[in-house]
Amino acid sequence: MSNKYPLISVVMLNWNGLEDTKSCIASLKKSTYSNFEIIIVDNGSEDGSKEWLKSQDDLVLVDLPKNEGVTGGHIEGHKVSKGEFIANLNNDATVDENWLMELYKAIIKDPKIAVVGGKAFEWDDDNPLFDQSNTYFTYQVLDLFGGYAHTMRSGTQETSVNSISTVGALMRRSAIEKVGYFDNDFFAYYDETDLFARFKRAGYKIVYTPHAMLWHMIGNSTKGIPYFYLYHMHRNRFIFAVKNYDTKYLLKFFKIYTRDSMAGLYHWTRGSKDINHQAQYKAYFWNVSHFFHNFGKRKDIK
């Protein structure tokens, strides 16, 4: 392949996941699309990752002293990236050799396409690597009242959507320069949903293509810390709604979110051991105390 193809910067985060990162890099190096750079952002690892990554001369290392989260890590990776397009890729994923090429083929069809994502097959003991009969997820559908982003498990046609997962997604740098990048207040979860909402309001398209395939170890990066996941999901869907929802949907969302949060508080104070209840009410009170900060970033809804 000649370098008539534009440079793609593949940005990957690593946090104490060296073996996963090695496997992901190995699959990426088999890509049929060859004009790309690999940028690894190490989020304060203590498992020997830093030493190994520093010894590799075919990747760019961004060495952070502490965990800056998904948003902070990708922001730092973006700063050193050089590509016309930027691919965000989870380190616990393994990509098909045509993954990057298929994303590129989809995004160049229309200059108004800001982001393209593909099909992510589950990969675990019951779902073998590279098996296309595994269960898979595709794009996301937003619940405009509850604020939830529901991940779909179907999709055989290339189509415009409202949101996709950044387990593996290709973005257009010029679109990022127009609307900005991730909001670091999210830390993790809903960060991409917020970014894509800004893309849509700016007139860009979000596209799903079933031809770009990868295999993902679901939840591997947060394994063993479910409270972290639950808390940030409850906290961040509120931030997302406040920043992006039209008023008629936002008022309904406030009612549902408050009702559910108070139910969580009720059950927790009466002895519930369900950490989801704890996460609900703690996220609620965090959002109440930061309401004006988040509301100040609200954009006009067209």
Side-chain angles (χ1 to χ4, degrees):
M1 179 186 297
S2 71
N3 283 348
K4 67 178 182 180
Y5 290 89
L7 178 68
I8 294 176
S9 298
V10 181
V11 181
M12 191 185 311
L13 307 185
N14 178 73
W15 179 55
N16 296 320
L18 179 57
E19 295 308 313
D20 289 343
T21 298
K22 286 182 178 179
S23 296
C24 187
I25 291 173
S27 69
L28 193 57
K29 288 182 176 180
K30 298 176 183 178
S31 294
T32 55
Y33 191 106
S34 61
N35 191 22
F36 63 92
E37 62 174 354
I38 301 175
I39 299 171
I40 308 294
V41 181
D42 187 81
N43 255 333
S45 295
E46 299 176 344
D47 67 340
S49 291
K50 292 180 183 293
E51 292 74 16
W52 185 84
L53 292 169
K54 288 177 181 178
S55 71
Q56 306 303 301
D57 57 9
D58 56 352
L59 56 83
V60 178
L61 172 63
V62 179
D63 188 0
L64 302 180
K66 65 177 183 178
N67 190 345
E68 299 290 349
V70 173
T71 54
H74 276 298
I75 289 169
E76 294 303 315
H78 176 258
K79 289 179 181 178
V80 302
S81 65
K82 299 176 181 177
E84 181 179 339
F85 300 95
I86 299 171
N88 288 355
L89 178 62
N90 273 32
N91 71 321
D92 55 357
T94 296
V95 300
D96 179 77
E97 63 179 9
N98 293 314
W99 172 75
L100 202 53
M101 178 64 82
E102 292 296 340
L103 292 177
Y104 172 72
K105 285 164 59 177
I107 204 169
I108 61 169
K109 291 179 180 179
D110 184 347
K112 297 304 291 183
I113 298 175
V115 188
V116 175
K119 182 181 291 186
F121 293 94
E122 293 187 4
W123 170 29
D124 55 27
D125 291 340
D126 298 319
N127 294 279
L129 189 60
F130 299 122
D131 190 337
Q132 294 185 30
S133 68
N134 294 355
T135 53
Y136 62 88
F137 59 93
T138 53
Y139 53 91
Q140 296 169 332
V141 175
L142 299 178
D143 170 5
L144 292 179
F145 296 114
Y148 295 100
H150 299 289
T151 301
M152 304 302 291
R153 293 183 176 272
S154 61
T156 58
Q157 301 294 322
E158 192 168 293
T159 185
S160 293
V161 296
N162 285 325
S163 185
I164 55 175
S165 170
T166 49
V167 168
L170 185 65
M171 296 187 234
R172 190 181 297 272
R173 180 183 292 277
S174 59
I176 293 171
E177 290 174 347
K178 183 172 182 178
V179 308
Y181 206 34
F182 292 120
D183 180 347
N184 206 19
D185 281 351
F186 285 95
F187 193 83
Y189 307 115
Y190 277 88
D191 46 290
E192 74 270 33
T193 315
D194 171 69
L195 175 59
F196 298 160
R198 284 184 274 133
F199 281 145
K200 295 279 284 188
R201 285 201 301 277
Y204 288 104
K205 300 176 183 177
I206 315 297
V207 169
Y208 159 73
T209 176
H211 307 299
M213 299 178 290
L214 59 77
W215 283 258
H216 180 224
M217 289 186 283
I218 303 298
N220 200 49
S221 60
T222 55
K223 190 177 296 183
I225 49 173
Y227 178 79
F228 173 91
Y229 169 80
L230 293 169
Y231 172 78
H232 280 83
M233 288 294 282
H234 287 305
R235 190 192 76 143
N236 291 354
R237 66 188 173 96
F238 184 95
I239 300 173
F240 168 73
V242 167
K243 287 185 63 180
N244 295 285
Y245 272 18
D246 195 356
T247 301
K248 64 179 179 180
Y249 295 114
L250 186 60
L251 294 176
K252 181 69 173 179
F253 169 82
F254 283 157
K255 293 179 181 179
I256 295 173
Y257 186 83
T258 300
R259 179 200 67 194
D260 293 347
S261 300
M262 292 302 98
L265 176 60
Y266 174 85
H267 290 296
W268 185 260
T269 57
R270 280 157 178 76
S272 170
K273 301 301 181 183
D274 186 344
I275 59 173
N276 185 55
H277 292 148
Q278 182 185 23
Q280 281 180 310
Y281 82 80
K282 286 194 173 182
Y284 175 81
F285 286 113
W286 186 95
N287 278 311
V288 168
S289 66
H290 292 80
F291 179 80
F292 291 105
H293 168 74
N294 293 324
F295 195 83
K297 294 189 292 185
R298 179 174 172 80
K299 308 295 184 183
D300 292 333
I301 306 298
K302 301 297 183 182

